[in-house]
Amino acid sequence: MREGYEGTGPGAITPDGCAVELYARLPVGDEPDVIAAAVPERARILELGSGVGRMTHALLERGFEVTAVDESAEMLERVRGARTICGPIERLDLGETFDVVLLASFLVHAGDVEVRRGLLRTCARHLAKGGCVLIQREGEDYHTDVPRERVDPAGFTVRIVSAEPVGDGVDSVHAEYVFPDATWTQTFRSRPLTREQFEEALAEAGLKVDRYLTEDRMWVRAVPMSGT
């Protein structure tokens, strides 16, 4: 397990506290539509942190070619129809480039600054000329609007129980996923980033915001800075 990360519940738990069985149950939201509207048709996509392939499969159905990367072999066993690569994202170097690099699941909020830097360098390293990086950020009240819960139409409840400071601007976030027949929990470390801090982190990796794709600014299209 990564330090500060843990998970409970049935089935395998990944190094960052994610439960494979849980993520196999979670429905995909409107994210694939947001992505499809922001990139060229049939683009080659490098999906960093694919998990069990919830988004992977939806993107494949829309005609994209997807390479799915995750550090959990148990997660990748659930991915169908895409090339899969198992390993830490922050050290990934495939020696090839893609039209689109996708960094979803709030990974840009990694508690460890060096991990975040590695993630964004991986994004920039694998970007083809004229390509873009799509990043999912946390909501701006993610760490302050706690506790909160959401009842999903599929019949389960998601609770963000707490977000407690652990030092150096990092919070320990505790989440619960309650289904009629099982409950999973996940504890993970997350670093809140203001819009300015987020854009500074991009700049460190030679990237800049092209545009925010959603009104809440949670989805971002980034491109290389000129001259890099």
Side-chain angles (χ1 to χ4, degrees), residues 43-204:
R44 294 183 69 235
I45 298 177
L46 177 64
E47 185 186 3
L48 303 175
S50 66
V52 296
R54 286 185 304 144
M55 254 186 329
T56 317
H57 299 142
L59 293 170
L60 290 170
E61 289 169 3
R62 287 162 173 77
F64 297 105
E65 178 187 330
V66 184
T67 295
V69 180
D70 204 275
E71 67 178 358
S72 165
E74 292 94 343
M75 287 281 196
L76 289 175
E77 285 173 3
R78 307 295 183 100
V79 176
R80 298 289 179 266
R83 169 192 180 197
T84 59
I85 295 169
C86 187
I89 298 165
E90 63 268 29
R91 297 200 295 271
L92 186 72
D93 190 351
L94 299 179
E96 59 185 292
T97 57
F98 298 80
D99 305 315
V100 180
V101 181
L102 180 59
L103 187 69
S105 303
F106 313 131
L107 291 176
V108 74
H109 292 272
D112 186 324
V113 171
E114 288 306 314
V115 169
R116 183 191 70 209
R117 287 174 175 150
L119 295 173
L120 291 174
R121 283 195 295 262
T122 293
C123 291
R125 182 186 305 127
H126 291 91
L127 201 55
K129 186 175 182 180
C132 64
V133 182
L134 300 188
I135 300 171
Q136 185 183 25
R137 304 169 62 220
E138 292 175 345
E140 291 171 8
D141 62 351
Y142 188 90
H143 292 253
T144 54
D145 179 22
V146 287
R148 65 181 181 274
E149 74 173 39
R150 175 179 63 85
V151 178
D152 193 274
F156 62 92
T157 300
V158 182
R159 296 191 184 104
I160 304 300
V161 178
S162 59
E164 299 293 337
V166 292
D168 189 34
V170 177
D171 289 342
S172 176
V173 180
H174 183 70
E176 296 177 351
Y177 301 82
V178 181
F179 286 73
D181 61 337
T183 297
W184 286 271
T185 73
Q186 183 183 9
T187 301
F188 57 95
R189 291 192 176 176
S190 177
R191 180 181 296 275
L193 297 171
T194 64
R195 184 173 174 177
E196 292 74 23
Q197 289 169 330
F198 168 71
E199 293 183 5
E200 287 170 5
L202 289 183
E204 260 194 322

